[in-house]
Amino acid sequence: MPQTVFHELVGQRLCQLWAFDQDRFPQHSGQSLLAGALAWVFEDAVLVFSSPLRHLHCSQGSVIGNDAGSLCDVGFRVTLLALDCADTWLSRFEVCTSANAPQWRRLIGQRLSAVHLVSNNAGQQQRWNMELAFSKEAQPCSVMYRPELDGLIEAGDGERFELQQIEVFDPNQAFGWLHPAASLEFILDEQLWRSAQMSDWPFAVRKHLQTRARPDAFYRDTLIRALTARFRQWPVFRKRLLAVELPMHVTGVPAGVYEQVRERLRFSGFGHFA
């Protein structure tokens, strides 16, 4: 039997569904809604699911007790807000969009029948998901945490969106923060680097590259040092990099570079920039 939670929301109409921090995933995610945070706006309250991997203010997921006395880790952070204070609280998230696909538009105006905490017996990383049941829907909406998918929260009919490989061609796409040209400034060798892209390297470093007998090896070593410095100085993206499990291909980055960066981040202190 699923555990029913948030009884105070039962009977309220859904007024709006906001998605935050989507990173362009909806362009190729089928029927799933993928986002770093989801805000379900009801008549007098807002139910928010947010990713602890993407947002440092919610560094741990919520653990909810059930009738059997067990603690259920849903992975994402669950927050129930009064409607009049929701805007201020939600302002911490970036890039807010309304979920406008037909399967989400049809939920607007429907009354919530129940919120269930359900056991995930599919052998996935998270044992517990949430399901939102609506008055006119035969199938509840499943909400699950996807730490292996860049910490996104997935809402849908229960069919998981699967990605076989990460492919990054520019910084303005899903997983674009992996790209050397991502606008994440950092300090290395007491200099400010605008990005880890070679065109943004300090002039002296680029000159060294031109004069080296083995430029490929120098490029690789410098890129590893630059990316390591960047991720050390951006804690949110460091967490996301360490959580990546999928094979990846990033334009301009030699094979194995991110594996070496991860090793440096795992086994060395964060007190140094190089």
Side-chain angles (χ1 to χ4, degrees), residues 100-115:
N100 285 322
Q103 67 266 33
W104 305 111
R105 286 202 308 269
R106 74 167 182 253
L107 295 180
I108 304 303
Q110 291 195 38
R111 293 188 183 276
L112 185 70
S113 300
V115 181

Side-chain angles (χ1 to χ4, degrees), residues 173-243:
Q173 64 172 95
F175 289 100
W177 52 271
L178 286 168
H179 198 282
S183 299
L184 301 170
E185 293 182 341
F186 57 93
I187 301 293
L188 179 60
D189 297 331
E190 300 183 347
Q191 289 186 288
L192 177 67
W193 296 45
R194 291 191 304 167
S195 79
Q197 182 87 340
M198 185 173 62
S199 58
D200 285 331
W201 293 3
F203 177 76
V205 179
R206 284 183 280 131
K207 288 295 290 183
H208 278 304
L209 176 64
Q210 295 173 1
T211 59
R212 292 283 172 159
R214 299 176 58 200
D216 290 348
F218 182 79
Y219 173 77
R220 182 189 183 91
D221 179 66
T222 302
L223 187 59
I224 289 172
R225 293 178 66 240
L227 289 172
T228 301
R230 181 174 83 180
F231 285 112
R232 281 177 176 161
Q233 294 165 50
W234 288 86
V236 169
F237 293 103
R238 181 175 71 235
K239 287 175 62 179
R240 290 165 71 172
L241 175 65
L242 293 176

Side-chain angles (χ1 to χ4, degrees), residues 70-269:
S70 300
L71 296 177
C72 307
D73 182 1
V74 295
F76 48 74
R77 191 75 174 175
V78 184
T79 308
L80 184 62
L81 303 168
L83 190 62
D84 57 2
C85 68
D87 286 347
T88 300
W89 198 90
L90 291 172
S91 65
R92 69 190 66 196
F93 300 121
E94 298 180 356
V95 192
C96 173
T97 58
S98 176
N100 285 322
Q103 67 266 33
W104 305 111
R105 286 202 308 269
R106 74 167 182 253
L107 295 180
I108 304 303
Q110 291 195 38
R111 293 188 183 276
L112 185 70
S113 300
V115 181
H116 290 140
L117 184 64
V118 296
S119 177
N120 181 352
N121 296 314
Q124 307 297 341
Q125 290 184 341
Q126 292 299 143
R127 283 190 56 200
W128 298 92
N129 300 332
M130 281 193 170
E131 288 184 350
L132 280 69
F134 290 90
S135 55
K136 298 179 182 178
E137 299 296 316
Q139 180 80 10
C141 176
S142 174
V143 183
M144 67 185 76
Y145 184 46
R146 303 293 305 274
E148 81 289 358
L149 197 64
D150 204 14
L152 289 167
I153 297 166
E154 180 174 11
D157 59 6
E159 287 291 327
R160 292 162 57 93
F161 169 69
E162 299 296 346
L163 191 65
Q164 301 303 317
Q165 177 174 297
I166 299 168
E167 295 187 357
V168 182
F169 304 103
D170 66 70
N172 299 310
Q173 64 172 95
F175 289 100
W177 52 271
L178 286 168
H179 198 282
S183 299
L184 301 170
E185 293 182 341
F186 57 93
I187 301 293
L188 179 60
D189 297 331
E190 300 183 347
Q191 289 186 288
L192 177 67
W193 296 45
R194 291 191 304 167
S195 79
Q197 182 87 340
M198 185 173 62
S199 58
D200 285 331
W201 293 3
F203 177 76
V205 179
R206 284 183 280 131
K207 288 295 290 183
H208 278 304
L209 176 64
Q210 295 173 1
T211 59
R212 292 283 172 159
R214 299 176 58 200
D216 290 348
F218 182 79
Y219 173 77
R220 182 189 183 91
D221 179 66
T222 302
L223 187 59
I224 289 172
R225 293 178 66 240
L227 289 172
T228 301
R230 181 174 83 180
F231 285 112
R232 281 177 176 161
Q233 294 165 50
W234 288 86
V236 169
F237 293 103
R238 181 175 71 235
K239 287 175 62 179
R240 290 165 71 172
L241 175 65
L242 293 176
V244 170
E245 297 178 353
L246 293 169
M248 65 177 77
H249 170 76
V250 181
T251 300
V253 178
V257 163
Y258 287 102
E259 287 73 16
Q260 288 188 256
V261 171
R262 280 199 293 250
E263 289 301 304
R264 291 188 178 201
L265 294 174
R266 286 193 184 106
F267 298 111
S268 62

Side-chain angles (χ1 to χ4, degrees), residues 2-12 40 42 47 49 111-117 130-135 140-141:
Q3 170 78 30
T4 302
V5 293
F6 298 112
H7 301 273
E8 60 269 55
L9 294 177
V10 173
Q12 293 196 34
W40 301 74
F42 294 95
L47 184 61
F49 304 131
R111 293 188 183 276
L112 185 70
S113 300
V115 181
H116 290 140
L117 184 64
M130 281 193 170
E131 288 184 350
L132 280 69
F134 290 90
S135 55
C141 176

